[in-house]
Each structure stands twice: as structure tokens, then as C-alpha cells.
Amino acid sequence: KSLAECSKAQWTQAYSPGACHMEGATAVVKCLGKSGSQCGTRMESSSYVGIGLHTMTIKAAPGPGVVSTFYMSTNGGVYEKSCTQPWVELDFEIMGNQAGTETKIWTNMLRGTCQENWAWITVPFDVSADYHTYAFNITADSISWMVDGVAYRTVATDSFPDVRTAAQSGSFREFISVWGKSSAEAGEGIPAFRNALGVLDSNTNVFPVIAYFQRPSP
């Protein structure tokens, strides 16, 4: 396996070549086993974007401990854990552990030095059962988190100059990923996030568990 298979058009796969393959235009991302090192990969878009509608169609990976993500970042797609260098990030964190007839999805706007602006949204379907389209609608003065054309959360950016600057200057890149954690591994994010995610040890699905991303054409 090489990283080239899922590195198509404007997308580049960052690591774990065996965790992704293409089926037509769909990137198929696998959580191969019940540890973080076996679970998923990340892909980044090469183009910088700002104001506009940015979409990704996703069928999320099921079960505890695994998350399928679509996010925008000014920081190369990584969480700056020292919290000394400011960046802006907009997130959909789609946790398999929350999937059901209704699904809670973690949304976030990270800004400054690790300043969280998170909120749950609830969608009326199982995110792991079928494809749904997730979108960030970025305007000059707001960010909306949209699913299947419905705005579930909107944040005015008047009081967040760094977010407005990132939007207006086109400083974001788009990222998609699948990742997971076992009980033996240090968790990611704040306690509310870790508790909602659960751990791979508890995931009773047959592995690999899989997420599907229909990446937009450039």
C-alpha cells in the first residue's frame, strides 16, 4: 500500500497507507483494530479557502472509541497542544459512540490558544447508517454548521477577530480523518469530549470499522 492511492486531485493522505483506499470517488478509511495506532488516517486539501460553503459527504464509522471528522484549520490539521501558538479550527467530530436513531455530533470552533467554543448538535438519523452531507457555511460575519442543507448551529464572529481574519483572508484548509483511542491510551480533548467518545475496547462491531468520504471534486 502507498499513500498515493488516497492522495488524489487536491487531497494528500498524511500517514498509515493501509488505512485508506479508493472506491471510485469515495475514500474508504478503516479503523483496523482496537488501538489508536491501528485506527484511521488523515487527509488534507491542498487549496486554501475562506468565505463560502465547504461540504463533505460522509458515512461515519460506527461504535465506541472511533470518530470520523471533517474540519477546517489554519494550523496544518493538528491540535497545537502546547497552547502557545494561536490558530483557528472549525470541527465536525462525528462519534460512532453517539450514533443511533438520533445522533449527537460534536461541533467546535477553536481559536486563540486552545480556546474552545464547542456545542452538540442533534440530527434525526444514524450517522453510521448512510451518507449525509456536512458543511461549513462561512460568511464575513458568521459560521454555520450545516447537515443535509439545514443549519444546526450558527455563531456570529463579530467578537472573534481571528476567525473573521481567517475567513476573509482564505487561510483555512479542509481536512478529513478517522481516529480512535483505547482505554490504555491518553485521551484527546476535554473530559466531556473523551467521555462522549468512549473507547475502542468497548466497540463490538467487526473490525475494521469503516468511514466513507465522498470528497468534492476540485
Side-chain angles (χ1 to χ4, degrees):
K1 278 277 184 189
S2 81
L3 292 171
E5 182 167 358
C6 288
S7 298
K8 303 282 188 185
Q10 84 273 35
W11 292 94
T12 303
Q13 184 181 351
Y15 56 86
S16 299
C20 185
H21 70 271
M22 297 300 295
E23 292 181 0
T26 300
V28 179
V29 182
K30 299 175 285 292
C31 181
L32 296 162
K34 296 187 178 185
S35 69
S37 63
Q38 296 176 290
C39 192
T41 188
R42 181 179 75 244
M43 284 163 272
E44 61 189 56
S45 172
S46 59
S47 53
Y48 286 85
V49 297
I51 290 170
L53 183 68
H54 309 286
T55 67
M56 185 67 57
T57 300
I58 304 169
K59 181 180 176 183
V66 63
V67 59
S68 309
T69 79
F70 170 42
Y71 62 107
M72 319 276 290
S73 175
T74 63
N75 192 45
V78 295
Y79 190 102
E80 205 285 295
K81 291 184 179 179
S82 72
C83 295
T84 57
Q85 302 296 320
W87 88 102
V88 178
E89 181 176 313
L90 311 172
D91 296 339
F92 281 104
E93 305 269 2
I94 310 167
M95 302 178 189
N97 197 35
Q98 298 299 322
T101 51
E102 291 187 329
T103 303
K104 288 198 307 180
I105 298 171
W106 183 279
T107 67
N108 208 350
M109 180 177 71
L110 288 152
R111 53 170 297 275
T113 48
C114 302
Q115 294 172 38
E116 303 256 354
N117 295 268
W118 64 272
W120 289 110
I121 63 173
T122 301
V123 295
F125 51 78
D126 182 339
V127 291
S128 67
D130 208 345
Y131 287 96
H132 296 276
T133 299
Y134 301 84
F136 299 102
N137 188 23
I138 301 175
T139 74
D141 54 13
S142 69
I143 310 286
S144 293
W145 286 255
M146 303 181 72
V147 187
D148 294 338
V150 177
Y152 283 86
R153 178 189 182 193
T154 299
V155 173
T157 54
D158 312 35
S159 54
F160 303 124
D162 50 350
V163 179
R164 294 185 70 159
T165 297
Q168 292 171 355
S169 63
S171 299
F172 289 109
R173 283 194 291 159
E174 298 178 47
F175 297 83
I176 52 178
S177 74
V178 173
W179 59 270
K181 289 290 182 180
S182 73
S183 61
E185 296 167 308
E188 296 284 344
I190 63 174
F193 182 93
R194 296 198 299 269
N195 293 339
L197 177 62
V199 290
L200 288 167
D201 318 48
S202 305
N203 196 321
T204 57
N205 290 283
V206 175
F207 278 69
V209 293
I210 299 173
Y212 301 85
F213 296 86
Q214 295 176 346
R215 305 181 305 196
S217 299

